[in-house]
């Protein structure tokens, strides 16, 4: 619920005080007193029945109607609460000013925003109300103004139930999908136990969901909100009241091996505290973790925080600040793979009901901008929570118990309106094999932003049967390096500067063993046209070559330069030799012994592809290294 909801259960019966009520009916007062005692013991269903009996004894008993409205409000029986508050006002408009605040709350929950605004304005017209209660009412009035406008300008929203392979008569919620949309993991609650389930997509349909792993799911503890890395290899999740926990709920991590999930481990401090940490969301590069915490230093209730992995472990968590967090509650963060768009739920920003879904985008200064409500009818007078997106940003997943489903909370998907989508991303997915045996092998995979030389993806010797997957922001150029001890490293680049479709890159990589005569193309060595000065974008590749030579100290290589057939052969020969020499000099300058290196230019004499197309000529303009001696 949005706030404390002004439950004025502060009218207890006390015979010694001889309190004056609006009734003299002793039977009604007796039932009222018994109801008050039940409320003290949080027996709300029993209290409601006793208050009904008090009203049956005297229908003009104002206090009983008001108190019954408060019980209904607290137990989220909004139509019933609405009727009792109207009856209270009809009996005595000046009975208690808080009835107008509570009525405004109920009207919002019922989607009666104009009526809610009228009740709330009545409440704020009173002079003697506390500052915090006036602020609450003013916040709710802002909600009403926003909601009235939002309903007049609805967004397209056509939710589709994921079907019986996912949804049951139990509660299913908090879905997460891998970047290639092949695996869905979600939470299912049976009784009071929460566990993770997974489903695979085959031929466009989700398979029947099964329990994720006995190494993660437990019979005695709850496993709740989770976040799956884009390649599906790491699972950050919430575990509550576990023996290895630091607080009530902590964040844990598990890695997927070739057959199962490893036993999870507690991330520990500074992420976890003796308090409450939950609802993780990991960035696409696996380096920044967003999560929800009640720790000190926040702005009110639940706040969204972030921590970044460093060489020394996770950094001290940083609050996302007042453009995200409010004195209310902010929860269920989802950082999209574009690393620029954050989706979350909040009851602190203007919305249509209990919790609404919002998005915030990073500004040019790298700071989060004030959030945008996803609009009506995506948001409603109910409670919206737990939104996640596909990597391409076109479709969203969420759970709801307001739509006709299999029972309880079901998982749905819908196409996200264009204006609410993140930046376009695509993904690269590949399989690494031994060139001779054709068997999948583990390897280190690194993807670099060529403009900044910043590593945006790194998976160290932790592939799943030789497979890797990483998301890439459209509009940039990337270099890919794959290496493994005992093998030549592989490099490739992807130019997404003019990409408009988000089409994925699917590649198979055969790693060559280190043997004399074997070659490797250095695809991320760059020169300007007809020049031989190394461009800054070449740095990551050159550093990779230095590492290769350092861990293989006996290897002697030749740096080989090649051109296309444009221009005369003599110029091409000289250009190719100068380019090979530039790489040679870089290596020597960086403490690779000159005795281990030679360089040679081959001009246009050894094309890899036809020179009749621009793509073919691009591939022919290359730098290689060849193993002379291993």
């Amino acid at each position: 619920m949005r706030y404390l909801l002004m439950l004025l259960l502060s009218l207890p019966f006390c015979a010694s005080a001889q309190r004056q009520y609006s009734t003299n009916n002793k039977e009604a007062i007796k039932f009222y007193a018994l109801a008050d005692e039940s409320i003290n013991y949080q027996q709300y269903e029993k209290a409601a029945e006793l208050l009904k009996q008090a009203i049956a004894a005297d229908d003009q008993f104002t206090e009983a109607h008001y108190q019954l409205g408060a019980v209904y409000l607290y137990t989220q029986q909004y139509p019933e609460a609405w009727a009792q508050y109207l009856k209270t006002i009809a009996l005595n408009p000046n009975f208690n000013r808080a009835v107008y605040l509570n009525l405004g709350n109920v009207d919002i929950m019922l989607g009666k925003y104009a009526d809610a605004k009228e009740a709330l304005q009545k409440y704020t017209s009173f002079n003697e109300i506390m500052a915090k209660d006036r602020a609450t009412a003013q916040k709710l009035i802002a909600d009403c103004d926003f909601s009235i406008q939002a309903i007049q300008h609805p967004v397209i929203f056509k939710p589709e139930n994921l079907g019986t392979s996912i949804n049951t008569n139990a509660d299913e919620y908090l879905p997460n999908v891998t970047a290639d949309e092949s695996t869905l993991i979600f939470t299912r609650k049976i009784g009071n136990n929460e566990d993770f389930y997974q489903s695979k997509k085959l031929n466009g349909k989700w398979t029947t969901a099964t329990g994720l792993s006995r190494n993660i799911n437990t019979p005695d503890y709850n496993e709740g909100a989770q976040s799956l890395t884009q390649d599906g290899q790491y699972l950050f999740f919430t575990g509550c009241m576990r023996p290895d926990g630091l607080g009530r709920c902590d964040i844990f991590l598990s890695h997927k091996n070739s057959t199962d999930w490893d036993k999870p481990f507690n991330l520990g401090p500074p992420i976890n505290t003796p308090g409450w940490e939950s609802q993780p969301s990991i960035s696409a590069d696996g380096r920044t973790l967003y999560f929800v915490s009640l720790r000190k230093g926040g702005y009110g209730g639940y706040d969204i925080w972030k921590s970044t992995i460093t060489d020394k472990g996770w950094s001290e968590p940083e609050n996302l600040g007042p453009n995200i967090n409010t004195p209310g509650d902010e929860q269920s963060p989802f950082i999209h793979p574009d690393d620029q768009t954050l989706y979350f739920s909040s009851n602190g920003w203007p919305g249509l009901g209990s919790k609404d879904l919002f998005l915030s985008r990073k500004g040019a200064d790298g700071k989060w901008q004030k959030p945008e409500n996803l609009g009506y009818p995506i948001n409603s007078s109910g409670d919206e929570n737990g939104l996640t997106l596909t990597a391409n940003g076109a479709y969203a997943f969420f759970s709801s118990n307001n739509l006709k489903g299999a029972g309880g909370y079901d998982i749905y998907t819908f196409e996200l309106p264009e204006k609410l989508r993140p930046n376009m991303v695509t993904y690269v997915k590949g399989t690494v094999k031994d060139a001779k045996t054709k068997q999948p092998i583990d390897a280190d995979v690194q993807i670099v932003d060529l403009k900044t030389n910043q590593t945006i993806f790194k998976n160290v010797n932790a592939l799943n049967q030789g497979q890797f997957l990483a998301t890439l922001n459209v509009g940039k150029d990337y270099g890919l390096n794959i290496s493994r001890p005992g093998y030549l490293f592989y490099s490739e680049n992807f130019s997404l500067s003019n990409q408009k479709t988000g089409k994925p890159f699917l590649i198979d990589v055969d790693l060559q063993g280190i043997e004399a005569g074997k070659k490797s193309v250095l695809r991320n060595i760059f020169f300007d046209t007809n020049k031989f000065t190394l461009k800054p974008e070449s740095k990551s590749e050159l550093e990779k070559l230095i590492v290769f030579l350092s861990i293989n100290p006996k290897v002697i290589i030749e740096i080989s330069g090649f051109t296309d057939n444009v221009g005369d052969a003599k110029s091409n020969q000289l250009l190719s030799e100068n380019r090979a020499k530039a790489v040679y000099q870089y290596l020597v300058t960086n403490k690779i012994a000159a005795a281990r290196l030679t360089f040679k230019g081959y001009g246009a004499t050894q094309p890899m592809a036809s020179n009749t197309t621009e793509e073919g000529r691009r591939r022919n303009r290359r730098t290689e290294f060849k193993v002379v001696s291993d």
Side-chain angles (χ1 to χ4, degrees):
M1 298 175 69
R2 184 176 294 271
Y3 297 105
L4 183 60
L5 300 177
M6 296 302 295
L7 276 181
L8 290 189
L9 304 180
S10 57
L11 300 173
F13 175 79
C14 181
S16 62
Q18 297 183 346
R19 191 181 189 107
Q20 294 297 313
Y21 290 101
S22 59
T23 182
N24 293 319
N25 188 304
K26 294 182 179 180
E27 189 77 1
I29 293 173
K30 182 187 72 173
F31 286 125
Y32 182 88
L34 292 172
D36 188 72
E37 183 178 340
S38 296
I39 289 169
N40 288 335
Y41 286 99
Q42 299 181 342
Q43 298 171 338
Y44 299 114
E45 184 175 349
K46 181 179 180 181
E49 292 302 317
L50 290 166
L51 289 167
K52 289 178 186 177
Q53 293 182 61
I55 291 169
D58 184 353
D59 188 51
Q60 305 301 301
F61 191 178
T62 308
E63 290 85 352
H65 284 289
Y66 179 80
Q67 200 79 318
L68 182 57
V71 170
Y72 282 141
L73 178 54
Y74 190 77
T75 56
Q76 302 182 38
Q77 300 178 69
Y78 301 125
E80 292 81 0
W82 178 79
Q84 294 302 319
Y85 285 137
L86 287 185
K87 179 68 173 182
T88 302
I89 293 171
L91 289 172
N92 183 357
N94 298 314
F95 166 71
N96 191 310
R97 54 183 175 265
V99 70
Y100 295 99
L101 178 57
N102 286 357
L103 178 60
N105 249 310
V106 170
D107 281 332
I108 288 176
M109 298 302 177
L110 295 175
K112 300 178 179 181
Y113 301 109
D115 291 345
K117 183 176 180 179
E118 181 179 349
L120 293 164
Q121 286 177 328
K122 174 68 174 178
Y123 177 73
T124 58
S125 69
F126 294 106
N127 292 323
E128 296 180 359
I129 55 178
M130 296 178 65
K132 66 180 182 66
D133 295 334
R134 185 177 296 277
T136 295
Q138 290 170 339
K139 164 64 175 65
L140 296 178
I141 290 172
D143 286 349
C144 294
D145 289 336
F146 171 83
S147 301
I148 292 168
Q149 289 295 316
I151 291 173
Q152 293 175 357
H153 302 89
V155 298
I156 297 174
F157 180 57
K158 297 179 180 179
E160 296 181 9
N161 191 294
L162 290 193
T164 55
S165 60
I166 303 294
N167 295 313
T168 67
N169 59 4
D171 288 334
E172 286 82 24
Y173 44 87
L174 297 172
N176 254 298
V177 67
T178 54
D180 60 357
E181 300 177 42
S182 65
T183 303
L184 175 75
I185 294 180
F186 61 93
T187 303
R188 177 176 289 164
K189 185 178 182 181
I190 300 177
N192 291 320
N193 187 254
E194 294 177 306
D195 282 331
F196 294 128
Y197 284 74
Q198 69 173 347
S199 173
K200 300 287 186 179
K201 183 175 280 189
L202 297 177
N203 300 319
K205 295 183 179 180
W206 293 109
T207 60
T208 300
T210 57
L212 183 61
S213 170
R214 291 184 178 180
N215 287 338
I216 295 178
N217 292 333
T218 60
D220 300 320
Y221 310 105
N222 283 342
E223 291 73 42
Q226 45 81 22
S227 179
L228 196 63
T229 55
Q230 293 296 296
D231 58 4
Q233 295 299 298
Y234 293 90
L235 185 75
F236 294 80
F237 70 93
T238 307
C240 295
M241 308 305 292
R242 296 167 74 105
D244 52 348
L246 299 182
R248 184 160 58 92
C249 290
D250 284 6
I251 297 174
F252 292 78
L253 175 62
S254 178
H255 170 250
K256 188 177 184 181
N257 57 49
S258 59
T259 59
D260 197 359
W261 289 90
D262 294 333
K263 183 180 178 180
F265 63 89
N266 190 307
L267 289 187
I271 288 179
N272 292 320
T273 71
W276 187 93
E277 281 74 36
S278 183
Q279 300 174 356
S281 181
I282 188 69
S283 60
D285 64 4
R287 299 187 63 81
T288 302
L289 181 68
Y290 296 80
F291 63 97
V292 178
S293 178
L294 276 172
R295 68 184 62 213
K296 293 180 180 180
Y299 287 82
Y302 295 100
D303 276 8
I304 299 174
W305 300 70
K306 73 171 184 177
S307 176
T308 301
I309 191 70
T310 69
D311 293 339
K312 298 180 180 180
W314 292 100
S315 66
E316 190 67 32
E318 174 187 347
N319 191 288
L320 292 198
N323 278 359
I324 300 294
N325 294 312
T326 70
D329 292 329
E330 280 67 46
Q331 294 181 282
S332 63
F334 174 75
I335 183 67
H336 187 264
D338 71 352
D339 199 37
Q340 302 293 310
T341 315
L342 179 73
Y343 297 83
F344 64 98
S345 68
S346 173
N347 61 20
W349 296 99
L352 289 107
S354 180
K355 283 191 180 73
D356 276 14
L357 295 167
F358 294 83
L359 72 85
S360 175
R361 304 184 192 274
K362 277 185 183 177
D365 58 359
K367 296 181 179 179
W368 293 107
Q369 299 173 323
K370 287 192 175 181
E372 174 185 357
N373 190 294
L374 295 195
Y376 173 86
I378 295 175
N379 288 317
S380 70
S381 60
D383 192 350
E384 279 71 46
N385 216 331
L387 185 84
T388 60
L389 271 65
T390 54
N392 64 16
Y395 286 86
F397 293 87
F398 76 109
S399 61
S400 175
N401 64 350
N402 295 324
L403 305 171
K404 293 181 179 179
Y409 282 89
D410 278 7
I411 297 174
Y412 296 80
T413 187
F414 67 95
E415 188 171 2
L416 200 64
E418 289 279 354
K419 71 172 186 175
L420 301 176
R421 294 183 184 181
N423 297 328
M424 184 179 292
V425 300
T426 185
Y427 64 87
V428 55
K429 183 178 182 180
T431 301
V432 184
K433 298 179 181 179
D434 182 287
K436 283 187 175 180
T437 66
K438 301 301 180 181
Q439 293 299 309
I441 55 175
D442 291 346
D444 297 349
V445 179
Q446 180 187 39
I447 298 179
V448 177
D449 182 326
L450 291 175
K451 183 176 181 180
T452 64
N453 279 313
Q454 180 181 0
T455 298
I456 57 98
F457 175 84
K458 191 172 185 180
N459 196 348
V460 181
N461 198 29
L463 305 186
N464 180 26
Q465 297 181 336
Q467 295 183 343
F468 67 92
L469 185 152
T471 53
L472 306 173
N473 275 293
V474 171
K476 297 182 179 182
D477 294 334
Y478 300 94
L480 166 69
N481 285 297
I482 301 175
S483 60
R484 175 184 168 96
Y487 290 79
L488 303 183
F489 72 85
Y490 172 92
S491 70
E492 185 57 88
N493 59 67
F494 305 92
S495 180
L496 305 184
S497 296
N498 299 312
Q499 177 85 336
K500 296 181 179 179
T501 63
K503 181 180 178 181
F505 290 86
L506 307 176
I507 61 175
D508 289 323
V509 176
D510 288 342
L511 284 188
Q512 299 277 357
I514 299 176
E515 297 177 19
K518 296 296 184 181
K519 301 177 182 180
S520 181
V521 180
L522 301 169
R523 299 192 188 279
N524 297 312
I525 300 293
F526 302 100
F527 303 90
D528 284 326
T529 303
N530 293 325
K531 294 184 179 180
F532 51 86
T533 300
L534 287 163
K535 299 181 71 173
E537 298 94 308
S538 307
K539 183 177 180 181
S540 292
E541 188 96 320
L542 291 166
E543 294 300 319
K544 201 73 178 176
L545 182 54
I546 290 170
V547 171
F548 169 79
L549 291 169
S550 298
I551 63 177
N552 297 285
K554 295 182 179 181
V555 170
I556 298 173
I557 65 170
E558 174 193 280
I559 307 298
S560 313
F562 303 87
T563 69
D564 58 29
N565 68 348
V566 177
D568 64 87
K570 185 176 180 180
S571 296
N572 284 335
Q573 174 63 33
L574 181 60
L575 179 63
S576 66
E577 185 170 329
N578 283 333
R579 287 180 170 179
K581 184 178 180 180
V583 175
Y584 167 87
Q585 290 175 331
Y586 186 96
L587 296 176
V588 172
T589 301
N590 284 272
K591 300 181 179 181
I592 300 298
R596 300 178 59 195
L597 307 170
T598 61
F599 64 90
K600 186 175 181 178
Y602 292 87
T605 61
Q606 297 183 21
M608 294 182 66
S610 171
N611 277 304
T612 60
T613 67
E614 176 53 39
E615 174 59 22
R617 290 190 291 273
R618 184 189 70 81
R619 293 182 65 81
N620 291 334
R621 299 188 296 268
R622 69 194 188 277
T623 305
E624 295 180 350
F625 76 88
K626 178 175 67 175
V627 178
V628 176
S629 172
D630 58 357

